[in-house]
Amino acid sequence: MGRPSKPYAVLAQEKKSHRTKAEMDARKKGEAAFATGETLKEKPETRQNLTAHKEFLRLKKILMSINKWDAIYENVINRYCLLYAECFEFEGKREQFFRDLCSLDEEKEELIDNRMSVSAFYKLKNQMQKNIIDLDKQVQAKRKMLMDIEKENIMTIASALRNVPKKEETPTNPLLEVLIGG
């Protein structure tokens, strides 16, 4: 699979392309047609969730600096922020279960001597470990969704690098090279 086409801005900055002026104009108009000219708005459910709201504000600052703060990205960015918040919450729950499991292990002797049987203790411990594993699976699924969104919206290094112009080659004069001794 080939790499995706470079945006018009990158091609114009590189000043070297096999595309004709007509193709470049068509690309510029096509890319401009995808921009609505309206600013991206935060949805109420994103605003109400403190973690999602903080992530929204962080992304707003970043995306505004690269002129990607357009309403066409509204659903994706709001969904990303909510997924980020959900992932953060699941990680917190997982850590709480882990702390509870550690304290259960620390109180093992006392619990078995006073309150519960050995089999009940290990059933409880096993159930807590299963909960931790289930939460880990949910966090991994959320992280995969986040990564997919990041790849599609220039939010990863690799996707951003595809849109960065390569270093411009300096044109050389063959006559000067011969005269210099090259």
Side-chain angles (χ1 to χ4, degrees):
M1 184 168 108
R3 79 180 193 180
S5 300
K6 294 178 182 178
Y8 169 78
V10 172
L11 292 172
Q13 189 175 14
E14 287 180 342
K15 297 179 184 172
K16 59 176 183 174
S17 177
H18 65 279
R19 291 166 184 84
T20 64
K21 286 183 181 181
E23 289 174 325
M24 292 292 282
D25 287 339
R27 177 170 289 205
K28 182 178 181 180
K29 289 176 185 172
E31 289 178 11
F34 279 107
T36 63
E38 296 178 26
T39 60
L40 195 151
K41 304 229 182 333
E42 186 176 19
K43 291 190 174 187
E45 55 268 21
T46 306
R47 190 176 301 115
Q48 291 169 357
N49 186 313
L50 183 62
T51 306
H53 178 67
K54 284 182 181 179
E55 183 66 7
F56 185 87
L57 295 176
R58 185 185 76 81
L59 289 174
K60 179 179 181 178
K61 182 180 176 184
I62 294 168
L63 293 173
M64 284 181 89
S65 70
I66 61 170
N67 297 323
K68 295 291 184 185
W69 195 249
D70 192 80
I72 197 131
Y73 302 110
E74 189 169 300
N75 285 330
V76 174
I77 297 301
N78 278 286
R79 186 176 309 119
Y80 177 84
C81 293
L82 289 170
L83 280 170
Y84 178 85
E86 289 174 8
C87 188
F88 185 77
E89 290 168 11
F90 278 121
E91 288 169 349
K93 288 177 186 177
R94 186 210 170 281
E95 289 304 312
Q96 183 60 47
F97 267 110
F98 183 74
R99 284 192 297 273
D100 291 347
L101 183 62
C102 289
S103 68
L104 184 69
D105 279 339
E106 290 171 3
E107 299 171 7
K108 175 182 176 182
E109 297 299 325
E110 183 183 326
L111 288 172
I112 292 174
D113 289 343
N114 298 333
R115 297 183 210 147
M116 63 174 55
S117 67
V118 174
S119 64
F121 172 82
Y122 283 108
K123 282 182 185 177
L124 178 61
K125 184 175 178 178
N126 186 36
Q127 187 60 42
M128 290 178 80
Q129 289 171 338
K130 285 181 181 179
N131 287 340
I132 290 171
I133 290 169
D134 289 342
L135 286 169
D136 272 341
K137 287 178 183 176
Q138 291 177 6
V139 167
Q140 291 304 319
K142 301 275 184 207
R143 285 181 181 163
K144 168 121 177 54
M145 288 186 255
L146 290 171
M147 181 61 99
D148 291 342
I149 292 172
E150 290 165 358
K151 284 180 182 177
E152 290 297 320
N153 291 286
I154 310 177
M155 295 164 73
T156 63
I157 294 170
S159 63
L161 286 176
R162 287 191 296 267
N163 293 299
V164 173
K166 306 298 182 258
K167 185 176 178 181
E168 189 174 318
E169 293 179 21
T170 56
T172 58
N173 187 335
L175 181 58
L176 282 175
E177 285 184 26
V178 170
L179 292 173
I180 293 173

